[in-house]
Amino acid sequence: MTITQASVIQEYKTRTHNTDESPGYFTTDELQKLANLWSLIIEYLSANKDKHIAVNSELLERVKNTWPDVHENETIDAHDDEQVTRRAWKFTKGETIRKPSFLNRKHIDCERQLLERHVCETTQEYVDRVSGHHVPLLPDTYFPSFKHPSSSTRNLRDVFWAIASAKQHPDIWVHRYLRANGWDANKAFLCIQSVIEWRATQALDQINWEGEVRLGFDEQRLGVLQLVGHDRLGFPLTYLRVRRIMPRANQAFVLKRYLVHQFETLQYITRSHSRITMLCDFTGFSMDNTPFNIVHFLVTLGTKHYAESTSILILLVDSWLFTNFWSLIRPFLDASLSARIVFAKTMHDVLVFIDESQVPAELGGLNKIDEMKVPEVNENCKMFDETRREQAEIEWREKVDEFEEATRVWCTRFNGDESDRFANVRDNAARDLDCAERHLGQFTRARTTYERLNMVDSNGQLQLPQ
């Protein structure tokens, strides 16, 4: 089935989600193509089970502390956090109100360091500063697994199963690449292979382990990208405030890491969902908020690394400047994502897709978005328990082997006798793997603000108010 913008809009107008090409609703032909893809994946994993890929991740870089002379309790007087970040932005662009003289140079240098600290310190550094001492929010060192402990490389098979088992059924993740490639199993396999290698080199397991603790605190404080509710079809709704993307106030890798972590978090807490809706708020933005390198990176995330994960992308626009932005981004969009992009100029346009109760209050809706909550002491206490983590890893590996074997059999007996029985065995193995992955995740993924806001339960399941 070819997805068009008109068909997507019609789904929302009729409140009827089209389940075609979705897990649980596959046709016989689609199941055959899914089985073909799984055969390619399993063959590849078997041949490369001992293959390791070197980590070379810009996302793991750290901002050097450039504010050594600032007193811990000294702060900047400003109306809100966005205003402070904009002041820091002006410093980086050389837009200071006046050049420092002999008498005010010290004052301006102090302000510069305060601004740099405000936009550059990590959540861990912020917590340590306001506490007056080091607060151990995470274990001091990270290692990928007990079986493959080296932090400089990643095992290819482990990387695949880590993300495939992050969904309630691995088919939810794998089938996205079939859809993105017109149900061509060979093309889908090549895409998956590329994504797995990218995840390995960028060490996304460590990004999830460190979570918000090692992220820039400013991006979280500003709420650049947040999960805020659900759309009219029940898909999780995220809200992107484009005007708060201020990459020149910090180094590019800081914002990239923040965006990747947000995408990763959404993958894990929306385990049973195949798609997410995004409301992109361009009100009050400027072209400085959308530099090419960040735009290209964000598009690559949406079209390649997290392909077919969008239900609809709503662009709320109130400025002629958007024409320049659109000419910048449009050439990089694939046909599938393009069909899911709609434009909104007013609240009335937005309400076609999102109920008023879910629209953020700052846009005229009734949804009063909770501010982020700072990580709490002992919230990641299980991550310090290596004994239980090792046992959870052993159980997860057993369930991976069971699901892989069940899938291998299902692929070879797909059209044969007792095919339904083999499918049931495989689905049961998927449920066991889902439980094992959620249990292991308690020891390998830092808690997020969504758990502190009670939007995610103790089992890692998303709990959105209706």
Side-chain angles (χ1 to χ4, degrees):
M1 175 184 175
T2 302
I3 302 296
T4 65
Q5 187 184 72
S7 66
V8 171
I9 294 175
Q10 187 62 23
E11 288 184 40
Y12 281 86
K13 286 184 175 180
T14 60
R15 311 288 192 272
T16 305
H17 172 46
N18 189 338
T19 56
D20 291 348
E21 301 182 352
S22 300
Y25 300 92
F26 292 138
T27 65
T28 301
D29 181 59
E30 289 165 353
L31 278 173
Q32 180 65 68
K33 292 174 180 177
L34 179 64
N36 293 342
L37 176 56
W38 270 113
S39 294
L40 292 172
I41 292 172
I42 291 175
E43 180 182 358
Y44 175 70
L45 294 177
S46 298
N48 294 277
K49 63 182 180 180
D50 296 322
K51 181 177 180 180
H52 288 72
I53 296 178
V55 171
N56 183 22
S57 176
E58 68 169 326
L59 304 180
L60 296 181
E61 293 182 31
R62 299 284 188 262
V63 176
K64 184 179 179 181
N65 186 324
T66 57
W67 50 94
D69 302 325
V70 176
H71 191 274
E72 289 182 354
N73 297 325
E74 198 166 2
T75 59
I76 295 177
D77 181 28
H79 175 66
D80 57 30
D81 293 318
E82 184 175 348
Q83 185 184 89
V84 177
T85 303
R86 289 192 181 280
R87 284 169 61 181
W89 197 3
K90 288 183 178 182
F91 260 108
T92 62
K93 294 169 69 177
E95 296 180 7
T96 51
I97 297 176
R98 60 186 184 278
K99 294 182 180 180
S101 65
F102 177 77
L103 294 177
N104 62 25
R105 183 179 295 114
K106 184 176 181 180
H107 169 74
I108 290 182
D109 187 57
C110 179
E111 182 180 21
R112 177 187 61 78
Q113 291 192 38
L114 282 170
L115 289 169
E116 288 180 355
R117 186 185 71 184
H118 182 90
V119 299
C120 294
E121 67 181 347
T122 65
T123 303
Q124 179 69 72
E125 290 170 334
Y126 171 82
V127 171
D128 289 350
R129 177 167 63 82
V130 297
S131 300
H133 59 87
H134 176 60
V135 179
L137 299 174
L138 291 173
D140 292 332
T141 58
Y142 171 73
F143 59 95
S145 68
F146 286 90
K147 187 174 182 179
H148 305 290
S150 173
S151 61
S152 62
T153 62
R154 294 296 184 271
N155 177 264
L156 196 67
R157 184 171 182 265
D158 280 5
V159 173
F160 171 81
W161 284 114
I163 183 59
S165 64
K167 290 299 183 182
Q168 204 170 65
H169 195 299
D171 283 352
I172 295 177
W173 188 79
V174 169
H175 100 283
R176 289 176 174 175
Y177 296 91
L178 275 173
R179 291 182 60 129
N181 290 277
W183 289 85
D184 185 316
N186 291 310
K187 290 182 179 179
F189 168 70
L190 292 176
C191 283
I192 289 175
Q193 183 179 352
S194 175
V195 170
I196 295 307
E197 291 176 357
W198 173 77
R199 295 183 66 85
T201 58
Q202 295 302 316
L204 295 201
D205 55 334
Q206 186 169 344
I207 300 297
N208 289 313
W209 163 275
E210 296 178 347
E212 297 168 353
V213 175
R214 303 285 165 76
L215 288 184
F217 188 62
D218 195 41
E219 285 74 23
Q220 301 174 74
R221 180 166 42 199
L222 290 173
V224 175
L225 178 62
Q226 287 181 276
L227 177 67
V228 297
H230 57 82
D231 68 11
R232 290 192 180 275
L233 294 182
F235 291 115
L237 171 66
T238 56
Y239 179 40
L240 175 65
R241 299 175 174 93
V242 179
R243 69 181 180 278
R244 294 189 179 181
I245 298 176
M246 290 177 267
R248 293 181 186 175
N250 208 330
Q251 298 183 51
F253 69 81
V254 175
L255 181 58
K256 289 181 179 180
R257 177 175 176 137
Y258 168 79
L259 292 172
V260 168
H261 179 262
Q262 288 294 321
F263 273 78
E264 284 292 291
T265 298
L266 293 171
Q267 294 297 303
Y268 284 101
I269 67 177
T270 59
R271 305 182 71 90
S272 61
H273 297 273
S274 58
R275 295 187 180 278
I276 295 170
T277 288
M278 183 177 290
L279 173 59
C280 299
D281 179 10
F282 282 87
T283 59
F285 97 108
S286 72
M287 292 302 291
D288 283 334
N289 297 120
T290 53
F292 178 78
N293 64 326
I294 296 300
V295 171
H296 186 266
F297 180 76
L298 191 56
V299 171
T300 301
L301 291 180
T303 59
K304 181 179 179 181
H305 302 316
Y306 302 91
E308 284 289 314
S309 59
T310 303
S311 173
I312 197 165
L313 193 61
I314 307 166
L315 308 184
L316 181 60
V317 182
D318 72 342
S319 170
W320 62 269
L321 283 174
F322 182 81
T323 303
N324 294 332
F325 171 79
W326 187 240
S327 64
L328 182 70
I329 190 176
R330 190 171 186 177
F332 301 101
L333 302 177
D334 58 30
S336 177
L337 184 58
S338 294
R340 296 184 178 277
I341 294 177
V342 297
F343 298 92
K345 292 184 178 180
T346 66
M347 178 71 162
H348 177 75
D349 297 332
V350 173
L351 292 178
V352 173
F353 312 101
I354 308 170
D355 187 82
E356 186 179 18
S357 65
Q358 301 298 309
V359 176
E362 62 194 81
L363 297 179
L366 303 177
N367 187 356
K368 296 181 180 180
I369 303 172
D370 291 322
E371 296 181 356
M372 72 156 292
K373 288 189 175 182
V374 178
E376 302 169 355
V377 179
N378 296 325
E379 69 175 15
N380 295 314
C381 59
K382 290 185 178 181
M383 298 177 71
F384 291 82
D385 191 337
E386 292 190 1
T387 301
R388 293 177 64 193
R389 176 188 171 184
E390 183 175 19
Q391 183 57 43
E393 180 186 319
I394 292 172
E395 294 173 359
W396 176 77
R397 291 187 183 281
E398 290 175 352
K399 299 308 176 184
V400 164
D401 291 342
E402 290 174 10
F403 179 80
E404 188 172 301
E405 179 58 29
T407 300
R408 192 193 310 274
V409 173
W410 173 73
C411 289
T412 58
R413 305 288 184 87
F414 173 73
N415 285 322
D417 296 335
E418 300 184 286
S419 58
D420 288 344
R421 182 172 69 84
F422 293 120
N424 289 334
V425 170
R426 181 172 179 267
D427 289 341
N428 289 334
R431 282 189 284 273
D432 292 342
L433 177 58
D434 176 51
C435 291
E437 199 286 329
R438 282 190 281 112
H439 181 55
L440 177 60
Q442 296 178 17
F443 304 95
T444 58
R445 287 195 298 275
R447 307 289 76 78
T448 70
T449 194
Y450 301 124
E451 286 156 303
R452 294 176 217 118
L453 294 175
N454 296 318
M455 297 174 71
V456 177
D457 65 20
S458 58
N459 291 317
Q461 298 279 43
L462 186 63
Q463 301 289 326
L464 294 175
Q466 298 300 312

